[in-house]
Amino acid sequence: MVGVETYPYRFSPPVDYGKTRSVKGEEWYQADEVAEEYEEKRFSRGGRLIDRREKQAVLDAIGPVDDQNVLEIACGTGRFTVMLAERGADIVGLDISAAMLQQGRQKARDAGVADHLEFMRGDAARLPFPDDHFDTVFAMRFFHLADTPAAFLSEMCRVAADRVVFDTFNGTSTRSIYNWLLPMGSRLYARSEVEKLLEGANLELVNAEHDWILPYGFYRKIPGSIADPIRDADTTIGDLPFADRFASVSYWTARVR
Ligand SMILES: C[S@@+](CC[C@H](N)C(=O)[O-])C[C@H]1O[C@@H](n2cnc3c(N)ncnc32)[C@H](O)[C@@H]1O
């Protein structure tokens, strides 16, 4: 293990960013009942397809994980943290919510990897690690909550020696309709905006995958048996020329220059 417990904040003195770095729903995820229901609400029924696709996106982006030193930002209930620990990564999952981390710790115990990962409570705006400390730093389902994505990306980039991975929800997609129905809404991105963010953080784009013509929210509401054929149609349409322009989700992999 990387022994993070020995150096929180020692190399990276906390900076008071005040309100310059904020995240939608940061307080929402602190509640026990929200954390307890988090996975059941999103990743059961048709939502299983989403969980599977996101995990594949992370594995594709990170490649062989054994011997990699990995940091997951906003790790929530540890869906990816535990998966990567099971595959031999040296991994730290960081989240601001104690309730979400508690779910992650239970998942790690159930999977028998509690001794092979580290969950820590912390703020993505000020990571308690020295520069270049991890090979790979990634965040899933975080940037749609980030009001100040450039600041968060820059902080991820600071502690990454090699690779930064994240996803976005996209504006020119069915997600923008679904977004109206949500109490908090999401920050939706244009591809050009992500390219600018990468440039600003001195990251070089190495891969982007654009997927899901129908938004995630649709799949999580329907039974798995109905979701399967709809997802097949979604991927068939998604393979058509120019269809990726209308994908509701993008998975980005970038290299630190
Ligand atoms: C939509 S959940 C995603 C969780 C996980 N990445 C996943 O895909 O299942 C967003 C997570 O971001 C966390 N979060 C919000 N603000 C944060 C911050 N400033 N620093 C670290 N984590 C934060 C929340 O506590 C929550 O667990």
Side-chain angles (χ1 to χ4, degrees), residues 7 15 19 51 53-54 67 147 164 167 194 197 209 223 256:
Y7 55 70
V15 178
K19 296 210 178 297
D51 182 55
R53 177 66 180 96
E54 289 182 328
D67 294 336
D147 287 331
V164 171
D167 61 350
V194 176
L197 284 170
E209 289 177 15
V256 178

Side-chain angles (χ1 to χ4, degrees), residues 23-24 26 29 38 43 54 72-77 79-80 94-97 100 122-125 140-142 144-145 152:
V23 177
K24 289 183 214 307
E26 194 172 290
Y29 288 105
Y38 175 78
F43 310 119
E54 289 182 328
E72 181 181 1
I73 302 295
C75 65
T77 55
R79 290 187 300 136
F80 309 104
L94 176 140
D95 199 283
I96 207 154
S97 161
M100 294 291 271
D123 186 351
M140 295 293 282
R141 288 173 176 255
F142 178 65
H144 73 288
L145 302 173
F152 287 109

Side-chain angles (χ1 to χ4, degrees), residues 89-115:
D90 201 355
I91 184 160
V92 177
L94 176 140
D95 199 283
I96 207 154
S97 161
M100 294 291 271
L101 289 171
Q102 194 182 324
Q103 299 294 317
R105 289 194 180 100
Q106 186 58 50
K107 193 194 306 295
R109 281 194 291 275
D110 293 345
V113 294
D115 295 337

Side-chain angles (χ1 to χ4, degrees), residues 125-144:
R126 44 184 189 165
L127 298 172
F129 308 104
D131 296 355
D132 304 331
H133 187 67
F134 296 93
D135 300 311
T136 298
V137 178
F138 77 98
M140 295 293 282
R141 288 173 176 255
F142 178 65
F143 276 82
H144 73 288

Side-chain angles (χ1 to χ4, degrees), residues 8 22 86 213:
S22 66
E86 287 177 312
I213 299 298

